[in-house]
Every structure is written in structure tokens, then in C-alpha cells.
Amino acid sequence: MSPPRQPTDGGLGSARTGLLVLAVAVFAAVTTELVPVGLLPQISSAFDVSTGTAGLLVSAYAVMVAVLSVPLALATRRLPRKPVLLVTVGGYGVSNVVAAVAPTFGVLAAGRVVGGITHALFFSVCIGYAARLVPPTQTGRAMALASVGVSGGLVLGVPLSTAVGEALGWRVAFGAMAVLVGLVLVMAVVVLPPVEGPRDDEDRHPGRRWDLASVVTANGLTYLGTYVLYTYVSVLLLDSGASERWVAPTLLLFGVCGLVGLRITAAQLDRRPRGSAILVPLLMAVGCGATALAYPRLALVVAAGMVWLAAFGPAASLYQSASVRTAASAPETAGAWINASSNAGIAGGAALGGAVMASSGLTWVAGVAAVIVAASAILALLSRSAFPPGGRDL
């Protein structure tokens, strides 16, 4: 049985503890996914492959998520939620161990595929978990708290793993992630409360499936545009004149901006979902466009990156809560579609960014990112029922 949802008093009550554990699990998940981002130069050198080829470690991971999220969510919908969540956390540990000891680039890619399969199920379960711990009016705040782990992965996970990789080697960075995942697994076993799984009667408003499709598409565009550029952010910084030792601190700065953006926006996700869905990608597009104009002047590139990634901070919470709020399906199914579209965007972004970088350079990479993210803002502007001005009662 799931614990009773808290009264709609504006607070999260006792659900906060479970949401914090989910946030820590999300942190480990996001960091696992993005460990290669700050280590692409080292990995490409270790296996004598191009930076673009090394970037496929992000793509291969994300492709598995994009393809498998919805099928796995549907296949496991009748299973108890907590055991399923624990299995997925354990899968991250396996992925990181394989990556840490990989003798060849192919084995490393295989380890990443294991992580991608794990990730395909983890986020749909996690989104449903968070939604079921609180009443519908608190969905946005619950998603914002659980999604602190997303920004935390960018703030601490990526720069710390990059710093560990630079100091001790990229294999140690993956090994450290395996240890972290083990600790998260213990924490989830001990602390996380059980919740009910989805029921067949939760597809309450099938007529709103077009709204869910609009939210999922907007989310995919946002992630596609972001990862066209973010996959190669370490290359961007180095080519702009940053020394290798300053890459990790700069990523930390970008992540802090993301947390600040999430903190500022969290309360608005329930009150003004439409305004948030327009403003967030619009500001991201401005930041990406400014990056294109600023490159290769390092100080200006960093300033533009701060704007871009501050706006990106609340994106995960924005689209997760919007998908659940459409009430077109069970929260787990909505979460699976968001997970799939996010990672389709990540995979496509990594591949597209690598292709544009090889043919036209980093200025065009940032410009393409800006155009794609701006399309998400336009879609939100046109999709009034998917992103209603004052939210929607579930």
C-alpha cells in the first residue's frame, strides 16, 4: 500500500523524506549517464578513437533509453514499485563496474548499454514514485525536489567525476561511481517507503493524449538542442582557451547555475506551467545563441553558458510534472514517454553535435542548439491545452 498523500497545505510533509531519497538516486543516475561528458578527451586518447566517436558513449546509452522506456514501463507496471526501483539502481552499479575495467572501447560501450537499459526503466518508476507520494496539487513541487538530483548531477556529479578522472584516471571515476551507487542502493532499501503500482483505470482522460504528445515533443526538442552542445562542453571550453584543470570547476559553476534556476522556478511549475514551458526553453535558446556569438572568447562563453544552463535547471521538473498533469495515462507511463523523449534528444543531440562539429565547427554547434531549443518554446506557445495557463485539476 502507498502511504497516504499529504494534505494540500502547500508543503510536502512526510513525503519529503522519500522524495529526498529519490533525489539522491536521480543524482547517481544522471551522473552515471553523463560521466563521459567531462572525460571524452581522456577516453578518446586511451582507446585511440576520435572525440566524436567517444561521444557515442553518450548516444549509445541514450538510444537504449529512448527505445526501451515505454516497453519496459508497460511490462513491469504490475510489479511492486520498490523492488523494481532497487533492481534499476543495482543496474547502474553493474554498468559502472564494467566501464571501469573495460579492456577495449567495445566493452566500455557494452557497459554503457547496460546502463542505458537500466535507465530506461529507472526514470519512469522514479517519476511515478514521486507523483504517488503527494497530492496532485503538489506534483510540480514533488518533481522539483526529486529532480534536484538532475541538477545535482550537473553541479557535483559531472565536475567531480571529471576532477577524479583528471587526477586519478577515467577508470577511477567510473569505479567511484560504482561505489556511490552501492551506497544509494543501501539508502533506498532502508529509507524509501513503498508505493502502489499503476492501476488499469488510471488512463482517465484518453482524450488528452494529444496534450501528452505535445509535452513529450517539447521535452524531446529541449533535450535535443541542449545535448547538441552540452555533450561537447568540455571541448568547447578547451577550444575557447580554458586549461584542462579549469574544465571541472567551470562545469561546477554551470551546475550551480542550474540549481539556482530550479530553485527560482520550482514554485511556478504548479502555478504557471504555460509561462514556464515558454520561458525556460526561450532563455536556453538565448544562452545557446550567445554562446555561438561569444566563441572562442572564454569569458563570454562562460557567461553565456551560465544563462543557458541556469534556464536548463528546471527543465526536467517542468516536463515531468506537465506530463503527469495531462492525466492522459498513469504517471509511470507518462514518465516513460518523458524518459524516452529526453534520451532520444540526448542521443540525437550527441550525434548531431558531433557531425556539425566535424563539418562546421563549434560556432555552428551552438547555433543549431539555439534553433532547436527555440522550437520547443514555440510549441509550448501553440499548445495551450497541453500547457494550461493556470495548471489543470487531475
Side-chain angles (χ1 to χ4, degrees), residues 62 65-74 77 119-128 203 208-221 223 316 319-324 326-346:
V65 182
V67 171
L68 295 176
S69 288
V70 175
L72 286 178
L74 295 175
R77 62 184 281 123
H119 206 83
L121 183 56
F122 170 79
F123 266 93
S124 62
V125 177
C126 186
I127 291 170
D203 293 329
R208 293 179 181 172
R209 287 173 184 164
W210 281 110
D211 291 343
L212 177 59
S214 296
V215 174
V216 168
T217 302
N219 178 71
L221 288 170
Y223 274 80
Y319 296 113
Q320 288 168 7
S321 58
S323 70
V324 173
T326 64
S329 65
E332 285 79 4
T333 306
W337 282 110
I338 290 295
N339 196 21
S341 63
S342 296
N343 283 274
I346 292 171

Side-chain angles (χ1 to χ4, degrees), residues 7 15 32 44 66 92 99 112 166 175 184 189 234 241 243 245 247 252 272-273 298 302 319 348 355 358 360:
T32 294
S44 62
Y92 287 120
R112 297 291 294 170
E166 290 173 351
V184 171
V189 169
S234 58
S243 63
R245 72 176 184 273
V247 171
L252 177 62
R272 299 178 179 87
L298 180 60
V302 172
Y319 296 113
S360 304

Side-chain angles (χ1 to χ4, degrees), residues 260-287:
V260 171
L262 176 60
R263 177 66 182 87
I264 292 172
T265 310
Q268 305 304 316
L269 299 181
D270 291 312
R271 298 173 186 168
R272 299 178 179 87
R274 179 174 170 79
S276 300
I278 296 170
L279 186 60
V280 165
L282 183 61
L283 289 176
M284 289 175 61
V286 169

Side-chain angles (χ1 to χ4, degrees), residues 59 224 228 232 347-357 365 368 372:
S59 296
L224 175 64
V228 163
Y232 304 98
L352 178 58
V356 174
M357 182 171 61
V365 171
V368 169
I372 294 172

Side-chain angles (χ1 to χ4, degrees), residues 19 22-23 26 123 127 141-153 259 262 313-314 316-318 320:
L19 290 168
L22 291 178
V26 169
F123 266 93
I127 291 170
R141 293 193 65 188
M143 296 299 176
L145 180 53
S147 296
V148 166
V150 176
S151 293
L259 277 179
L262 176 60
S317 305
L318 165 65
Q320 288 168 7

